[in-house]
Amino acid sequence: MADLPPDLFDADWAREAERRAMRDHRRATRANRARRLTRPNRGTLLSMLSLSIAVALVWAGFAFLDGTAPTASAPATAPSSTSTAPLRKHAEVDPTRPFADTPAAMWREGAGGIEPPPAHPVGPYSAEQVGRFMERVRQVIITARLDRTVLETGDASPALALLAPALAEKLRPDLTHGNEKESWHVAARLAEGARLLPVQPRVTGWMTPTVNDEGELAIRTNYLVAYAFDVPDPKKIDGPMDIVAVIRQEIEFRWIDDPKYTADSRGIWFGEVRGFNYSINCAQSEHGFLAPSYDNPPYTGAPATRRSEEYFDPHIPMPTEDGCR
């Protein structure tokens, strides 16, 4: 019986790819695309990534580098709300309504923005099986991105508990202090001293059930979450994006249920993962933490190539621009 399901890619390769990608990214501004999954040897379980810090004005992002991205499936349902509202960068900020004057004002609150589409049969999987898996994925996203305990303490144990036990065990080393940059896809964690306002984050996006190349049931997700932060001196705020930070993540969740694998290897695994952050603290992002752009130094890089509203839109391709340097 196999001990582990097929994993992402070799850790040594990932480390070398990260060094190479960061070097190449500084030399050019070419688009970077997601790497296809491969079947590595047993034990190379962790979903390592090549991290590319990307900022337009005051934002940062990350994306897999090298290789070719698979063609994205059309969403099974439209996002929970649209993202066409204009962004008023210098609007007065009301801490009781921090998302006003941003496109996130039109998104749903908290877990209400993570709504699975109606379940239907996918490949050999029944509508009931698909529905159960989508609900499990929904709980993973809620726990990893919205749970205040996870966000504020940095303890990702509640999120790990929803994954296959073998995967959770292999991920634990990357969740220890100092390794947060390597595990951004597992859970969001606030920087020390960063505090959220007492309002629900806003969420938009979708999930799409499919069968991947290995014949496994997979859920492809594309969600944006906007967080509103408290700041020490509200009088110094120039506009809502000083306190609102946005993360976008395209994550494929794989359901491993083949009896050829041991019991602790069955459950939820990560497939392809890509992410991007907008209007966040660059220095904290370098260490894998989330904080608002309030303390960023003035940006002196190339001008933004997109309208600000586009970074709130899950329909546009994952941004890859660089501007933190």
Side-chain angles (χ1 to χ4, degrees):
M1 180 179 290
D3 293 319
L4 296 175
D7 187 25
L8 295 180
F9 37 78
D10 182 79
D12 291 336
W13 177 93
R15 284 190 290 269
E16 175 57 30
E18 180 175 354
R19 290 191 291 268
R20 183 176 64 252
M22 291 297 287
R23 181 185 65 240
D24 292 344
H25 193 72
R26 286 192 292 267
R27 292 176 179 173
T29 57
R30 62 179 176 81
N32 301 309
R33 296 172 293 179
R35 180 179 173 84
R36 286 289 292 168
L37 301 183
T38 60
R39 276 183 180 265
N41 296 327
R42 174 185 173 184
T44 58
L45 169 65
L46 300 180
S47 53
M48 305 296 289
L49 62 141
S50 299
L51 191 67
S52 170
I53 299 301
V55 178
L57 300 179
V58 282
W59 57 267
F62 37 77
F64 274 123
L65 309 181
D66 301 338
T68 302
T71 301
S73 301
T77 59
S80 55
S81 46
T82 62
S83 55
T84 56
L87 169 62
R88 295 178 59 206
K89 294 182 180 179
H90 302 294
E92 184 176 352
V93 177
D94 179 353
T96 66
R97 300 174 57 249
F99 300 109
D101 298 304
T102 77
M106 301 180 67
W107 301 354
R108 293 183 180 177
E109 294 187 354
I114 307 171
E115 183 177 3
H120 61 275
V122 177
Y125 295 91
S126 68
E128 183 181 4
Q129 289 173 307
V130 172
R132 284 202 304 266
F133 185 33
M134 287 194 295
E135 180 56 32
R136 293 191 185 199
V137 168
R138 179 176 183 269
Q139 291 304 317
V140 171
I141 298 172
I142 291 172
T143 304
R145 310 295 160 204
L146 301 176
D147 187 294
R148 290 280 175 134
T149 300
V150 174
L151 287 165
E152 295 172 357
T153 68
D155 181 6
S157 297
L160 288 182
L162 300 174
L163 305 176
L167 174 59
E169 188 62 27
K170 291 292 185 179
L171 286 173
R172 290 188 193 281
D174 274 352
L175 292 165
T176 56
H177 182 67
N179 293 325
E180 290 84 2
K181 184 177 177 179
E182 307 300 328
S183 54
W184 61 267
H185 57 291
V186 179
R189 283 149 293 185
L190 303 186
E192 184 176 357
R195 295 187 305 164
L196 294 174
L197 287 169
V199 296
Q200 287 276 7
R202 296 298 180 93
V203 183
T204 190
W206 57 76
M207 64 176 67
T208 305
T210 186
V211 173
N212 64 18
D213 293 342
E214 307 299 336
E216 303 157 349
L217 180 59
I219 305 296
R220 292 180 178 176
T221 66
N222 179 14
Y223 283 99
L224 291 94
V225 183
Y227 301 90
F229 287 84
D230 196 1
V231 293
D233 189 354
K235 294 180 180 179
K236 293 184 178 180
I237 297 175
D238 292 328
M241 297 314 297
D242 279 352
I243 65 170
V244 173
V246 181
I247 66 171
R248 174 179 174 181
Q249 296 185 347
E250 294 180 2
I251 297 181
E252 179 187 75
F253 295 92
R254 303 158 56 199
W255 178 246
I256 304 298
D257 61 352
D258 195 319
K260 72 181 181 182
Y261 299 118
T262 55
D264 65 343
S265 293
R266 299 175 204 163
I268 297 177
W269 288 66
F270 290 110
E272 300 157 348
V273 295
R274 296 195 300 168
F276 187 82
N277 294 340
Y278 175 72
S279 190
I280 54 89
N281 184 291
C282 294
Q284 293 294 345
S285 180
E286 283 279 0
H287 298 288
F289 295 106
L290 184 64
S293 63
Y294 175 80
D295 287 332
N296 275 340
Y299 177 66
T300 58
T305 58
R306 301 173 186 261
R307 294 184 301 108
S308 298
E309 288 82 0
E310 292 186 63
Y311 297 108
F312 292 81
D313 190 347
H315 293 92
I316 67 169
M318 184 72 74
T320 57
E321 300 91 337
D322 189 354
C324 256
R325 292 172 174 76

